[in-house]
Amino acid sequence: MSETNPAVDAWVAKAKAWRDEIGRLRAILLASGMTEDFKWGKPCYTHAGSNIVLIMPLKETCALLFTKGALMQDPRGILVQPGENSQSARQVRFTSLAEIVKLEKSLKTYLKDAMAVEAAGLKVALRKSADLVYPKEFQDRLDRDSALREAFHALTPGRQRQYHLHFTGAKQAATRASRVEKAIPLILDGIGLDDR
């Protein structure tokens, strides 16, 4: 069994919801031999220095988030895509401690598979930002403004995807145009939407 991390101990002590579920998941993860860390404000479990799984207490569920879940075997059909734009991560969601207890043996198998995926060096083939189709309101600005185009292409792929999701999330052309106008100064400064 791995050692507990003091940052996770403090986080668990402050948890208002899913306390029993978090405790059981934590015990299973520590027994797997992974190292407990605290990243992105959540307990993160690593193997050979790579992130494998996080405990994610959400509003309606408590989940295990496998960072390369898309590459894992799923014989029980319990891995779900966290969102429509998630490419690599997959979750196992629980609504009770009883569900965790019932799936404990399977979870141990899934954890071994997740560590094997990482040990094998497997990588998820991510969609490239260049493959994304940008809305007309933004594409027209990119086509006309070489400084904007250069600044946008200098952003990391993740920041480019953030802008893509932000722009395409608007249903009306006027909203998309407004979002583009507000984003242009940020893009020119090399700043992502979440960097503020």
Side-chain angles (χ1 to χ4, degrees), residues 13 26 68 88 93 124 154 164 166 185:
R26 187 180 188 200
K68 290 187 180 177
S88 180
R93 296 177 180 158
V124 176
H164 177 267
H166 182 61

Side-chain angles (χ1 to χ4, degrees), residues 62-89:
C62 186
L64 284 181
L65 178 87
F66 290 91
T67 58
K68 290 187 180 177
L71 300 175
M72 293 170 52
Q73 301 294 314
D74 188 15
R76 303 261 334 221
I78 59 175
L79 292 175
V80 295
Q81 193 172 355
E84 66 181 73
N85 296 302
S86 298
Q87 297 182 58
S88 180

Side-chain angles (χ1 to χ4, degrees), residues 29-154:
L29 295 168
L30 288 169
S32 72
M34 286 188 279
T35 302
E36 185 175 69
D37 204 343
F38 193 69
K39 299 180 180 181
W40 306 288
K42 304 285 184 280
C44 179
Y45 297 82
T46 64
H47 179 66
S50 297
N51 301 326
I52 304 294
V53 64
L54 288 88
I55 297 177
M56 306 283 296
L58 305 167
K59 192 175 195 176
E60 297 178 11
T61 62
C62 186
L64 284 181
L65 178 87
F66 290 91
T67 58
K68 290 187 180 177
L71 300 175
M72 293 170 52
Q73 301 294 314
D74 188 15
R76 303 261 334 221
I78 59 175
L79 292 175
V80 295
Q81 193 172 355
E84 66 181 73
N85 296 302
S86 298
Q87 297 182 58
S88 180
R90 296 294 181 268
Q91 290 180 341
V92 180
R93 296 177 180 158
F94 307 98
T95 57
S96 70
L97 181 60
E99 287 181 4
I100 296 170
V101 171
K102 182 179 173 184
L103 284 172
E104 188 165 337
K105 186 176 178 185
S106 294
L107 289 176
K108 291 176 181 178
T109 302
Y110 277 62
L111 291 169
K112 287 179 186 171
D113 184 33
M115 288 187 280
V117 164
E118 194 58 50
L122 300 178
K123 304 255 187 238
V124 176
L126 301 174
R127 291 184 304 269
K128 304 284 185 211
S129 295
D131 297 338
L132 300 175
V133 177
Y134 293 95
K136 181 181 183 336
E137 295 80 5
F138 184 59
Q139 190 61 54
D140 286 350
R141 290 298 299 263
L142 285 177
D143 292 343
R144 290 192 322 254
D145 188 338
S146 62
L148 177 63
R149 184 173 50 251
E150 191 175 306
F152 185 72
H153 292 300

